[in-house]
Amino acid sequence: MTQMLSSQDRCAALTQVVGDVDVALGLPNEAYLSADYFEEEKRKVFAASWAGIGFAKDLPEPLWVKPIEFLGEPLLLARDREGQVRVFYNVCRHRGMKLVFEAGKQNVIRCPYHSWSYDHGGTLKITPHAGGPGNNICSRLEKDVTGLIEIRSHVFMGVIFINLDGKAPAFEEANAGLLQRWHEYADKPLTHTGSDSGFTLSLDTNWKLAVENYCESYHLPWVHPSLNSYSRLEDHYHIMQAGEELRPGVTSEAFAGQGTLVYSPMLADDGRRFPAFDGLDPKWDKQAEYTALFPNVLLGVHKDHSFAIVIEPKGPTQSVEHVEIFYAQPHVAEAEWQAMRDKNATMWKQVFEEDIFVVEGMQKGRSASGFDGGVFAPAMDAPTHVFHQWAASKMLAEAQ
Amino acid sequence: MSDKALLAALAAGDHALAARLYMETAEASSGDDASAFYATHAYVHALQAGQAAIEERAGALLRRLGRLR
């Protein structure tokens, strides 16, 4: 039974979430079950933040386009002639026809209805016959329509982020804390080696449970016993940072996750290792970190590869995880590294698949009407609570 | 321009050929309206095919006729 709270009760429940971890409760059941709550999240959580929607590697060269849907919105990813990734609404400015139906390289973005044509920067190139047969000049259009509707976008660690409502601080400001923490990784070129380095997982769970599970290491020895051989619970540490006021009116986002001091899995029998990123501090020889960039991107960094998971919310109880692995050096794409790449991808897939049982199990648990959101074990669950606080605060915020 | 050749080019998604056929017709047409009509189609198909030379020719013709900025 989906539990709908009155606005007063919802406010009270969310206020309990943002309290100190010692006394806070988790988000109420409604946050995981209700279609109305999910609709409100679209606006208050996703549109108001920098949300992950895809990967820059899917636009391998200039003039590539890829249509996607995100939270029901038809979007168009494009790489312009200069190589910059752009994101537009995938809709013609004329009659609202969807513009692009298949991914690929195309010289122009032409509407299949009346052939209004746009370049990959979104600029209108021609509105055929708009001024009458053979006349492509229409003063009304020249005044009011110059091109596609562009959405603010930013590429970070291979992920394309958008800010749908256009009101969030610049990406670099919104994520200043993580950019500072991972400054050694932020601008490194990444190598994606193709389909052997990506996979998707469909989950019968609310998107937030995938984020929550990712934030903490408490579950590792129970859910991921294979990690115990090289990365035990006591080798892990919390990553937690609250949002900070950068200047009046501009606050960075919180982020959370966990790290390990002993990441060093053996992927080859002969002891060979993937080559590392250039210029890393020696601490990264054994250290690895995993943080959730709220709302829906999960990132992991190691000295020799990174990965990104974009969680696509499909509804209150369904999500899809899009997982892509990136390597530090281009020559890892060569055939001699294939076996190690396969083993690495298989290892990560196994880890993430092991999480499915628990995130789907927590989803099922949210149907227990007597469940109150749950309590946090402060020593172990504090990063998860940071996410709860963030998500509750977004929902409590008054519409601007 | 043969209708048959044009329809075959369009059915095959051969925008380069469609652009060329429309451009030839535009340049062979005697009236401004007919020239502009065909040049408009040549321009659009040239954009799709990445045929810069025809795009330029069609654009120049349309601008001379006052049909494109």
Side-chain angles (χ1 to χ4, degrees):
Chain A
M1 178 175 64
T2 302
Q3 296 161 315
M4 286 297 300
L5 299 175
S6 67
S7 59
Q8 195 174 4
D9 287 345
R10 178 190 289 180
C11 185
L14 294 176
T15 301
Q16 279 192 296
V17 175
V18 299
D20 189 85
V21 69
D22 294 314
V23 296
L25 292 175
L27 291 161
N29 286 350
E30 177 194 39
Y32 302 88
L33 298 169
S34 157
D36 288 343
Y37 192 98
F38 183 67
E39 286 301 313
E40 202 166 326
E41 277 185 331
K42 287 183 184 179
R43 183 169 54 83
K44 290 186 170 180
V45 175
F46 286 96
S49 307
W50 285 95
I53 58 166
F55 298 91
K57 59 98 184 164
D58 289 337
L59 304 168
E61 54 185 282
L63 306 186
W64 270 73
V65 292
K66 182 181 181 184
I68 65 164
E69 270 205 15
F70 182 70
L71 298 171
E73 303 253 14
L75 304 180
L76 181 64
L77 315 181
R79 195 179 285 279
D80 67 21
R81 283 188 186 277
E82 289 70 44
Q84 188 179 342
V85 171
R86 316 281 287 262
V87 181
F88 306 99
Y89 285 107
N90 187 11
V91 60
C92 184
R93 295 299 304 275
H94 181 210
R95 303 306 309 142
M97 175 75 182
K98 185 173 174 179
L99 282 167
V100 177
F101 290 80
E102 289 182 2
K105 187 175 183 178
Q106 52 188 63
N107 293 304
V108 71
I109 299 165
R110 182 182 72 84
C111 179
Y113 196 5
H114 301 95
S115 287
W116 286 29
S117 300
Y118 307 84
D119 68 20
H120 291 65
T123 302
L124 251 178
K125 297 282 290 181
I126 188 168
T127 54
H129 311 306
N135 186 357
N136 306 294
I137 297 172
C138 172
S139 57
R140 163 73 202 280
L141 303 183
E142 290 177 342
K143 186 165 70 73
D144 293 336
V145 181
T146 56
L148 297 177
I149 303 169
E150 185 163 11
I151 298 165
R152 291 174 85 197
S153 62
H154 188 91
V155 176
F156 175 63
M157 296 194 71
V159 177
I160 302 172
F161 292 84
I162 58 166
N163 169 226
L164 262 172
D165 74 4
K167 296 176 183 171
F171 183 90
E172 295 87 343
E173 292 185 318
N175 298 287
L178 185 64
L179 287 170
Q180 172 61 30
R181 185 181 188 94
W182 283 0
H183 65 93
E184 292 170 275
Y185 288 95
D187 297 322
K188 295 283 192 294
L190 299 172
T191 295
H192 190 270
T193 61
S195 58
D196 61 11
S197 290
F199 51 91
T200 61
L201 301 171
S202 294
L203 312 172
D204 288 327
T205 194
N206 183 275
W207 65 275
K208 294 188 290 298
L209 290 170
V211 178
E212 295 170 24
N213 177 65
Y214 191 80
C215 283
E216 50 99 336
S217 56
Y218 189 12
H219 70 286
L220 299 186
W222 312 106
V223 178
H224 308 294
S226 63
L227 294 181
N228 290 335
S229 64
Y230 60 87
S231 186
R232 298 162 303 168
L233 181 58
E234 57 266 41
D235 299 320
H236 287 255
Y237 56 91
H238 297 336
I239 298 169
M240 299 183 291
Q241 186 162 323
E244 293 179 351
E245 187 172 49
L246 303 174
R247 60 176 191 276
V250 179
T251 304
S252 64
E253 297 282 20
F255 64 93
Q258 48 105 4
T260 176
L261 299 168
V262 295
Y263 180 82
S264 190
M266 190 58 70
L267 296 169
D269 294 337
D270 61 2
R272 199 162 55 128
R273 306 277 184 179
F274 288 125
F277 288 102
D278 297 326
L280 292 182
D281 185 283
K283 75 174 185 180
W284 292 105
D285 284 349
K286 290 288 175 67
Q287 214 166 327
E289 292 194 341
Y290 310 93
T291 65
L293 209 163
F294 307 152
N296 69 324
V297 176
L298 314 177
L299 299 170
V301 292
H302 318 78
K303 68 176 178 182
D304 53 7
H305 73 284
S306 64
F307 64 73
I309 305 173
V310 173
I311 303 171
E312 180 189 4
K314 303 292 277 187
T317 62
Q318 265 92 39
S319 307
V320 176
E321 289 185 343
H322 301 269
V323 186
E324 299 293 345
I325 300 169
F326 302 92
Y327 290 95
Q329 301 295 341
H331 65 271
V332 175
E334 293 168 9
E336 64 177 295
W337 298 95
Q338 180 76 55
M340 278 179 66
R341 293 199 313 264
D342 289 346
K343 194 165 182 180
N344 194 37
T346 300
M347 182 195 73
W348 283 119
K349 191 174 184 189
Q350 179 187 332
V351 170
F352 300 143
E353 283 178 337
E354 286 169 347
D355 286 316
I356 294 176
F357 172 72
V358 292
V359 297
E360 292 188 343
M362 287 191 287
Q363 180 66 40
K364 288 184 172 74
R366 263 43 185 201
S367 293
S369 59
F371 183 66
D372 58 1
V375 296
F376 298 97
M380 303 306 291
D381 291 327
T384 299
H385 179 245
V386 170
F387 172 64
H388 276 243
Q389 280 183 314
W390 181 88
S393 299
K394 291 286 182 187
M395 291 298 281
L396 285 167
E398 290 297 318
Q400 298 299 304
Chain B
M1 173 178 66
S2 128
D3 284 351
K4 196 174 169 186
L6 177 64
L7 290 173
L10 295 175
D14 188 343
H15 296 288
L17 178 57
R20 185 169 63 78
L21 293 172
Y22 273 124
M23 196 64 223
E24 288 171 359
T25 307
E27 290 173 334
S29 296
S30 50
D32 286 357
D33 288 346
S35 282
F37 181 89
Y38 291 120
T40 296
H41 285 252
Y43 188 87
V44 171
H45 286 286
L47 285 175
Q48 278 208 273
Q51 293 283 316
I54 295 179
E55 177 190 334
E56 200 171 309
R57 266 166 65 197
L61 175 56
L62 289 167
R63 287 186 189 93
R64 184 166 56 77
L65 296 173
R67 310 296 177 93
L68 184 70
R69 296 281 186 220

